[in-house]
Structures are given as C-alpha cells and as structure tokens.
Amino acid sequence: METDVLTAEIETALRENTTLPPHWYTDDEVLRLEKQAVFGRSWQFACHVDKVSKPGDMVPVRCGDIPVVVVRDKEGTLRAYINVCRHRGHEVVLEPCNRGTMQCRYHGWTFGLDGSLRAAPREKREDDFDRSAFPLYPAAVATWGPLVFVNPDPSAASFQSTLGTLDEVGSTNGLDLTKMVLRDQRTYNVRGNWKIALDNMLECYHCPTGHPGFYDLYDVDPATYVLQLHGSCSYQRGDLRSKEEAQAHKDDWGNFELYFVWPNTIMIPGPVSCIVMPIIPVAPDRCVLSTQTYFDPSVPEESLQGYLDYYDEIWSEDVQLIESVQRGQDSHRLPWGPIFRDSEKLLQHVQGLLLEDLRRGPFDARAAAMAGAAAGA
C-alpha cells in the first residue's frame, strides 16, 4: 500500500476524531512500513544499566526487526551497534555476556568494543581487503536514570528531545529508580496488533468496566484523571481513592502513574517499585507485552508477590480486551469508530506521531553507509 494513502488516512482520522481503518491492524504491508519508519528510527527501551555496568558487558536487543547490541567499552563508555556482521549479516552477539571482543560465530569475524573490525579469517589471501572499511554500523544510545534506550538510526534526534518535558515531570514527582533491582520478568503473548495494545494502555476510559479491581482502588473520573502530552511522550495519573482499603497502599503501590515514550515503552512507577513494559510488534495481529518489574531491595517477598499478582490480573484483563478488539478489526465490519477527545486524546497523539514518522520515511541504510564511507575517505 502506498505511503501517501496511509498518511491521508491518518490525516482524515485526526481531522474527524476517528480510529484508523481496520487494515491498519491486519495488513502485513502496514506493519512492514511501521517497522521501517517507526521502529527503525525511534528510541526504544533496551535494558537496565546493570546489564552493561562493566567494561566488556554486552546485551543483544531488538528494535522491531533490527538487531542491536548495547556494549560497555574498555573506557567505560556506553555504545550501541547494529548487531549485524559486515560480512554476510549473521548476528554478532547472540546472548548477554562479558568479552573483550565481539566475534561472529558464522565465519569468525571479530570486532572490537569500539565497533572496528579487528580480524577476518583468511583476509591476507585477499590483496585489496581493508579492515577499516567494515566496522559495525553504529546505533544511538542514551540513558534515562538507570534505563538504557537505543535508536537504530545513528543520526536520530537526541533522546532528550524525544522525552521533551516528561523528564521534568518525573523529577517533580520524585521519580528515582536508581536503587531498584529487577525482581520479576513476565511475557504476555497477545493476539493483537501493537497499536491496539498501545491504545489500550493510553486511556483509562475502559477501566471501570475492563478493570473492576483497579477501578475500586483508583479514581479515574475524567474530571480528576490526569492526561498530559510531552513532546513524543505522555503522562497519566489516577490517585488512590480516599477509602481505607485504597489508602492502605499509599506507601507501597502509591497513586497510579504511567509514563509513555513513543513508540512502545510503558513505565509505571510507584514508591518502591517500577514496571517497564515494551510493547513489541510480532505480526499484524500479534504483539508481546514484556514486563520487567523493579523493586527497592528492602521490599519483603510477601509484599512483592501481592503487587505482582495484582498487576498480573490487570495485564490478563488487558490481554482479553486487546484480543477482543483484534477480532473485531479482523471482521472488517468497523470502517471507523469515534475517538472521544477528552478521554482518548492520547490515542490521537499516537496517530499524530505515527503520521510524522511515516512522512519522514524509513532509514536509508545504503545511503547512510555511502555517506559514512565518503566522510571517512
């Protein structure tokens, strides 16, 4: 499908306050374009900085279909590279490890932690082979507190420009994850498009009916529920209700806050915990909710388990909701639906960000490689 047709559809949806047509949630070509133009050029959560704390630490991650590796070099600098060998395209780093070099297991090409090619078996049999012409392609890397983000586009705008004023919101609210440690990881395989999952996370209009347990504890009345836009990010908050059973969680679960970083990172902090959840596209009708839950080390096991069980119930409810919406979109009987500008304005925000990325287009790897070669000449 032509990109200009898709951008025109988003423009119509924004102008008329509607959802996108059903093929946005079912079409292979749409997802292919999104992976190139969105996930190929945006900042995405990679790992906690503890995973790459020592020189030689390296962690492979993915941005859509693009393999990326995060590395701590010998000088202690955090780096990221496209995790694709410059010889035949095999992934270089296959698992988290600590090494002095990165070696591709296909033909043994070995790269330094600075990305340079150090050795290629049988290279001396080639009269004109130049190692310096084949470093790993760089990716962009940044941190937000202890969270590492990567962008496959090395020329991308800074991560700070993506965060906008969301960083200030976090500081004002006392957001501090530096002492928290990973205590739980879970994966929810969802039969639903990644945008359906994202839309679900960015509104609490569905909370009274979709999450009765959550609704019993948190105030989601539209007059008091906070929805804020911050550049390519957003923030929402619902405070604990005044009743005793809700206020009992003031010091452990706290008020509900959700930070979103375009295109797919959800973060839900609390006084002693934080959930980080990327929404990972797999197929037009498949995505993964990958939750990592961090806690202050002082939190006892029994308190931890109660919190994990509570959110497992919420995520399970969300999976049911997302999958039902996907079945509805699969029917192709809903040409569009209205979006309430008051309660669902963050959905429109996502449509606008999607439009910007599609207009910008996919990253041109060949042109970038040629420009890099010319600059090094």
Side-chain angles (χ1 to χ4, degrees), residues 108-162:
W109 282 35
T110 303
F111 300 86
L113 301 183
D114 61 356
S116 64
L117 178 62
R118 297 292 180 84
R122 306 184 189 182
E123 62 181 295
K124 292 184 179 179
R125 298 175 67 88
E126 303 295 322
D127 293 336
D128 57 352
F129 184 77
D130 179 8
R131 283 188 202 168
S132 66
F134 300 101
L136 292 177
Y137 289 122
V141 64
T143 56
W144 186 18
L147 304 182
V148 179
F149 285 77
V150 294
N151 191 322
D153 182 355
S155 61
S158 70
F159 180 63
Q160 189 59 49
S161 68
T162 292

Side-chain angles (χ1 to χ4, degrees), residues 25-200:
Y25 311 101
T26 61
D27 192 281
D28 286 311
E29 181 63 15
V30 171
L31 181 61
R32 186 188 69 81
L33 289 172
E34 290 173 341
K35 284 184 175 181
Q36 291 180 349
V38 178
F39 290 88
R41 308 191 70 178
S42 297
W43 289 96
Q44 291 145 75
F45 172 70
C47 63
H48 193 281
V49 74
D50 284 351
K51 297 288 186 180
V52 282
S53 60
K54 302 184 297 295
D57 281 350
M58 56 191 75
V59 177
V61 298
R62 296 190 74 84
C63 295
D65 288 336
I66 302 173
V68 175
V69 60
V70 182
V71 177
R72 183 74 67 177
D73 72 14
K74 292 181 180 179
E75 288 71 41
T77 301
L78 198 60
R79 299 179 179 271
Y81 305 101
I82 303 300
N83 190 19
V84 174
C85 182
R86 291 294 308 278
H87 178 216
R88 296 267 293 280
H90 192 280
E91 293 161 307
V92 180
V93 179
L94 299 179
E95 57 191 9
C97 59
N98 182 283
R99 289 174 50 93
T101 59
M102 297 175 281
Q103 186 177 61
C104 176
R105 296 184 187 178
Y106 198 9
H107 296 98
W109 282 35
T110 303
F111 300 86
L113 301 183
D114 61 356
S116 64
L117 178 62
R118 297 292 180 84
R122 306 184 189 182
E123 62 181 295
K124 292 184 179 179
R125 298 175 67 88
E126 303 295 322
D127 293 336
D128 57 352
F129 184 77
D130 179 8
R131 283 188 202 168
S132 66
F134 300 101
L136 292 177
Y137 289 122
V141 64
T143 56
W144 186 18
L147 304 182
V148 179
F149 285 77
V150 294
N151 191 322
D153 182 355
S155 61
S158 70
F159 180 63
Q160 189 59 49
S161 68
T162 292
L163 275 185
T165 49
L166 190 66
D167 195 17
E168 298 173 14
V169 174
S171 297
T172 300
N173 293 337
L175 180 65
D176 183 7
L177 312 181
T178 54
K179 296 180 181 179
M180 295 187 186
V181 296
L182 182 64
R183 301 282 289 273
D184 185 79
Q185 297 185 80
R186 303 187 187 198
T187 297
Y188 298 85
N189 294 297
V190 187
R191 188 189 175 278
N193 184 274
W194 73 276
K195 296 186 298 300
I196 294 176
L198 180 57
D199 286 352
N200 179 80

Side-chain angles (χ1 to χ4, degrees), residues 86 248 272 337 343:
R86 291 294 308 278
V272 295
S343 297

Side-chain angles (χ1 to χ4, degrees), residues 154-334:
S155 61
S158 70
F159 180 63
Q160 189 59 49
S161 68
T162 292
L163 275 185
T165 49
L166 190 66
D167 195 17
E168 298 173 14
V169 174
S171 297
T172 300
N173 293 337
L175 180 65
D176 183 7
L177 312 181
T178 54
K179 296 180 181 179
M180 295 187 186
V181 296
L182 182 64
R183 301 282 289 273
D184 185 79
Q185 297 185 80
R186 303 187 187 198
T187 297
Y188 298 85
N189 294 297
V190 187
R191 188 189 175 278
N193 184 274
W194 73 276
K195 296 186 298 300
I196 294 176
L198 180 57
D199 286 352
N200 179 80
M201 299 298 168
L202 295 183
E203 50 91 355
C204 215
Y205 181 27
H206 72 279
C207 291
T209 49
H211 301 299
F214 178 90
Y215 180 66
D216 188 52
L217 294 178
Y218 291 95
D219 180 5
V220 300
D221 185 281
T224 54
Y225 194 79
V226 176
L227 296 171
Q228 295 178 347
L229 304 179
H230 297 275
S232 297
C233 305
S234 63
Y235 171 79
Q236 52 187 296
R237 190 188 77 243
D239 293 343
L240 286 162
R241 296 188 185 276
S242 59
K243 59 184 181 180
E244 183 178 348
E245 53 267 44
Q247 288 297 309
H249 291 294
K250 181 178 180 180
D251 296 327
D252 52 9
W253 299 1
N255 296 323
F256 175 75
E257 293 183 290
L258 189 151
Y259 294 77
F260 164 64
V261 180
W262 171 258
N264 69 329
T265 303
I266 301 292
M267 188 168 72
I268 301 174
V272 295
S273 63
C274 183
I275 298 169
V276 181
M277 182 174 68
I279 300 173
I280 303 166
V282 176
D285 63 348
R286 297 285 192 283
C287 69
V288 170
L289 309 181
S290 178
T291 65
Q292 298 183 18
T293 306
Y294 298 85
F295 284 90
D296 187 286
S298 64
V299 176
E301 187 66 27
E302 58 272 19
S303 298
L304 178 151
Q305 195 58 50
Y307 180 87
L308 294 174
D309 290 345
Y310 173 73
Y311 268 99
D312 181 66
E313 178 181 15
I314 291 177
W315 302 142
S316 298
E317 291 168 346
D318 278 325
V319 169
Q320 293 180 31
L321 296 168
I322 294 163
E323 292 186 342
S324 179
V325 173
Q326 183 66 49
R327 290 191 293 272
Q329 295 294 350
D330 287 344
S331 74
H332 287 258
R333 290 301 183 95
L334 178 70

